[in-house]
């Protein structure tokens, strides 16, 4: 198996000799950055804030915006239950309000910690968000464990979307993919298992100038010049087979990021390949030689 990486002397980071500017943690950081960008835009739209991906943690560390959003989720859930009582029976409807301090709350203060703690308690007790998706007060106040904080907010956004609230683009893309899967399953049942149904393409309204997903996928795959490349075959629009598996993955473009739907979450294509392409996996496993055929 060929690979295109070397290890710097002294046990330093792996260097991609095809792309020296790329470091082994870049793809891991990118998928978190992509989600922070999406959540920041979503919160800015809802509450007229000025959050960016770079200021994401510090902008929310007082807990004020988080608790404000929790109250709005409660309100939306109550309205949904009133309008659609039958549908509400299958959903977890939050009822307990969130008490928080919104004035003169300084970052790192007791009030900030109390706000964040109240939001966490609401997530656990009112939305029943699983512990694997939860974060702790210190994670936000001390700006660590970004991953769990981001995953928790995405889950809160998913719950709110069920009550009719505006959702981040990633959640909208999830709904698009789930609708595509449902339509495909319904079509399969209608035609019978003995027939192979044609693929249906579901496409949201694209923005003017939106990049072509296929071109971006090809560009990312083209970064590797190994003689035996990791196979990735397009099945239909936004749907690919990868490796030797018959499993399908769904790909969508989120601004400048190529995102892969993985189980119940998301990853960037670069990070996904770093974990599944044998060449990249071996490289990140501290391979110390480089096959000259890569050049």
């Amino acid at each position: 198996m060929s690979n295109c990486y070397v290890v710097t002397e002294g046990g330093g980071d792996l260097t991609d000799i095809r792309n020296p500017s790329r470091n082994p943690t870049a793809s891991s950081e990118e998928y978190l950055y992509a989600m922070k960008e999406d959540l920041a835009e979503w919160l800015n739209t809802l509450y007229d804030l000025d959050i960016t991906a770079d200021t994401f943690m510090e902008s929310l560390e007082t807990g004020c915006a988080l608790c404000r959003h929790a109250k709005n989720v409660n309100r939306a859930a109550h309205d949904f239950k009133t309008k659609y009582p039958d549908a509400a029976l299958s959903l977890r409807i939050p009822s307990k309000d969130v008490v928080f301090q919104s004035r003169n709350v300084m970052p790192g203060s007791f009030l900030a910690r109390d706000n964040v703690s109240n939001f966490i308690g609401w997530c656990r007790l009112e939305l029943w968000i699983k512990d694997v998706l939860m974060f702790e007060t210190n994670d936000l106040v001390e700006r660590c464990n970004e991953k769990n904080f981001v995953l928790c907010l995405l889950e809160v956004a998913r719950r709110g979307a069920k009550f009719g609230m505006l959702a981040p683009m990633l959640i909208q893309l999830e709904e698009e993919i789930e609708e595509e899967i449902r339509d495909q399953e319904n079509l399969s049942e209608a035609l019978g298992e003995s027939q192979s149904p044609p693929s249906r393409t579901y496409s949201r309204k694209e923005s003017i100038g939106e990049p072509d997903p296929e071109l971006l996928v090809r560009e990312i795959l083209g970064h590797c010049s190994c003689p035996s490349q990791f196979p990735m075959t397009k099945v239909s629009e936004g749907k690919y087979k990868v490796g030797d598996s018959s499993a399908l993955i769904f790909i969508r473009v989120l601004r400048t990021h190529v995102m892969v739907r993985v189980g119940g979450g998301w990853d960037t294509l670069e990070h996904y390949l770093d974990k599944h392409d044998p060449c990249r996996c071996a490289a990140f496993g501290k391979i110390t030689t480089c096959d000259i055929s890569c050049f």
Side-chain angles (χ1 to χ4, degrees):
M1 177 178 64
S2 299
N3 69 78
C4 302
Y5 295 80
V6 293
V7 177
T8 57
E9 293 186 7
D13 289 339
L14 287 165
T15 302
D16 182 343
I17 58 179
R18 299 181 313 267
N19 182 9
S21 64
R22 185 178 185 272
N23 65 69
T25 60
S27 64
S28 176
E29 294 169 351
E30 185 193 2
Y31 95 95
L32 273 177
Y33 196 85
M35 290 190 286
K36 287 191 293 184
E37 275 186 333
D38 194 37
L39 287 169
E41 183 176 285
W42 168 65
L43 289 170
N44 290 342
T45 301
L46 284 175
Y47 303 114
D48 194 26
L49 302 175
D50 188 24
I51 304 173
T52 68
D54 294 319
T55 64
F56 192 71
M57 300 286 279
E58 63 190 77
S59 297
L60 298 172
E61 64 182 322
T62 64
C64 297
L66 299 177
C67 292
R68 179 183 176 189
H69 180 67
K71 291 177 71 71
N72 285 337
V73 172
N74 283 351
R75 187 178 299 111
H78 176 77
D79 292 344
F80 182 87
K81 184 178 181 180
T82 301
K83 294 180 181 177
Y84 310 103
D86 292 338
L89 293 175
S90 62
L91 299 176
R92 174 68 182 178
I93 304 295
S95 58
K96 187 176 180 180
D97 210 353
V98 181
V99 178
F100 69 104
Q101 176 63 256
S102 60
R103 295 184 178 181
N104 302 319
V105 181
M106 300 298 293
S109 66
F110 171 80
L111 290 177
R113 290 177 176 273
D114 194 50
N115 284 347
V116 175
S117 178
N118 289 341
F119 175 77
I120 290 172
W122 174 81
C123 289
R124 283 200 167 104
L125 300 177
E126 298 301 311
L127 296 187
W128 287 3
I129 294 179
K130 297 178 181 179
D131 284 343
V132 70
L133 299 176
M134 286 302 304
F135 66 100
E136 300 298 333
T137 302
N138 281 346
D139 294 338
L140 178 56
V141 175
E142 298 179 6
R143 303 179 197 175
C144 57
N145 194 10
E146 283 187 320
K147 179 180 178 181
N148 273 58
F149 178 59
V150 167
L151 292 179
C152 180
L153 288 193
L154 277 173
E155 185 60 24
V156 170
R158 286 189 189 96
R159 307 296 180 89
K162 294 182 184 297
F163 306 133
M165 297 185 72
L166 175 69
M169 183 56 66
L170 273 177
I171 308 303
Q172 296 181 42
L173 293 176
E174 289 176 9
E175 294 174 349
E176 173 186 304
I177 290 171
E178 288 168 5
E179 181 175 340
E180 181 179 340
I181 293 173
R182 285 194 300 269
D183 287 351
Q184 191 67 38
E185 290 174 346
N186 292 338
L187 187 56
S188 297
E189 292 176 1
L191 294 176
E193 294 182 356
S194 61
Q195 300 185 47
S196 178
S199 297
R200 175 188 182 277
T201 299
Y202 178 95
S203 59
R204 61 190 167 86
K205 184 177 180 181
E206 295 184 351
S207 302
I208 296 176
E210 186 173 282
D212 184 345
E214 186 174 0
L215 291 178
L216 292 176
V217 170
R218 288 179 181 176
E219 179 182 349
I220 292 170
L221 291 174
H223 291 166
C224 180
S225 57
C226 298
S228 179
Q229 293 188 349
F230 186 64
M232 189 165 174
T233 307
K234 181 179 179 181
V235 175
S236 62
E237 192 66 34
K239 190 185 298 184
Y240 290 79
K241 282 186 178 180
V242 293
D244 298 326
S245 171
S246 60
L248 298 176
I249 63 170
F250 292 87
I251 288 180
R252 296 293 187 269
V253 175
L254 180 69
R255 300 171 186 83
T256 60
H257 309 281
V258 181
M259 306 297 293
V260 180
R261 181 71 168 145
V262 181
W266 290 91
D267 204 348
T268 57
L269 180 56
E270 291 94 335
H271 194 228
Y272 178 87
L273 291 173
D274 285 344
K275 294 184 292 184
H276 293 84
D277 180 349
C279 173
R280 302 186 191 213
C281 289
F284 292 169
K286 305 278 185 194
I287 294 295
T288 57
T289 60
C290 176
D291 189 332
I292 60 173
S293 63
C294 296
F295 291 96

